[in-house]
Amino acid sequence: MRQILTAIIVAASMAIPSLGAAQQVDFGGLSTNTKAPVEITSDSLQVDQSTGEAVFRGNVLVVQDDMRLKAAELHVEYGQTQSEINRLIASGGVTLVSASDAAKSQDAVYDVRNGNLVMTGDVLLTQGDNALSGNKLTVDLTTGTGQMDGRVRTILAPGGQ
């Protein structure tokens, strides 16, 4: 009886939009080769040699393997050399597209060294006909695993129709 009740609860939680605090989801479509080169294009570039930071502004497009990230502005924090990127900080409306998934948010931080991406502010993730929204999306781009936090809402399309 206990197993049947557990199965019903799990099935119901999958079918009803979630308004809880956090939801873990498979983001396999958002995985990418985090060791691939990072290409950045924009309307302008400002480099500060003293801080080791570069700021790309206007129609920013970041490409890494199959992943595309668009934003109004992108700050690049370099490592010991300018050929080593530590973090990409995108702002001004961010769109991330990869394989079969797409996500939008106000801001995003991509820690290139460990392959983690954190999107914040009115996050909307679409996976086919399904949608997931919340305040913060954290994705391990190497494994495609992640978590949505903050007033999470899920909309699932019924299968077979």
Side-chain angles (χ1 to χ4, degrees):
M1 181 69 168
R2 183 178 216 159
Q3 291 174 336
I4 294 171
L5 183 58
T6 301
I8 292 170
I9 291 171
V10 169
S13 68
M14 300 276 300
I16 300 172
S18 170
L19 297 176
Q23 184 169 353
Q24 290 193 349
V25 178
D26 177 20
F27 299 112
L30 290 181
S31 63
T32 192
N33 177 4
T34 58
K35 303 298 182 198
V38 175
E39 177 186 341
I40 304 170
T41 57
S42 68
D43 292 338
S44 68
L45 168 63
Q46 179 181 354
V47 178
D48 185 337
Q49 294 293 342
S50 64
T51 63
E53 187 174 303
V55 180
F56 294 83
R57 289 190 176 93
N59 301 306
V60 179
L61 174 62
V62 178
V63 178
Q64 185 179 36
D65 198 30
D66 290 336
M67 180 182 74
R68 307 283 183 270
L69 185 142
K70 294 181 181 182
E73 186 169 293
L74 180 78
H75 291 253
V76 178
E77 293 180 358
Y78 292 99
Q80 299 296 327
T81 66
Q82 286 198 349
S83 63
E84 178 184 318
I85 299 173
N86 286 339
R87 293 190 325 157
L88 302 176
I89 304 163
S91 60
V94 178
T95 302
L96 176 72
V97 178
S98 182
S100 60
D101 298 348
K104 290 186 177 187
S105 68
Q106 293 174 4
D107 303 297
V109 176
Y110 176 24
D111 187 329
V112 178
R113 291 173 297 154
N114 64 24
N116 287 332
L117 175 74
V118 178
M119 301 182 78
T120 56
D122 299 323
V123 180
L124 174 62
L125 171 70
T126 58
Q127 296 176 304
D129 291 335
N130 301 321
L132 182 66
S133 65
N135 294 325
K136 179 180 175 184
L137 172 63
T138 305
V139 180
D140 180 334
L141 292 172
T142 305
T143 64
T145 60
Q147 180 169 315
M148 182 74 80
D149 292 295
R151 201 65 183 153
V152 177
R153 179 180 171 108
T154 305
I155 300 173
L156 303 172
Q161 294 185 2

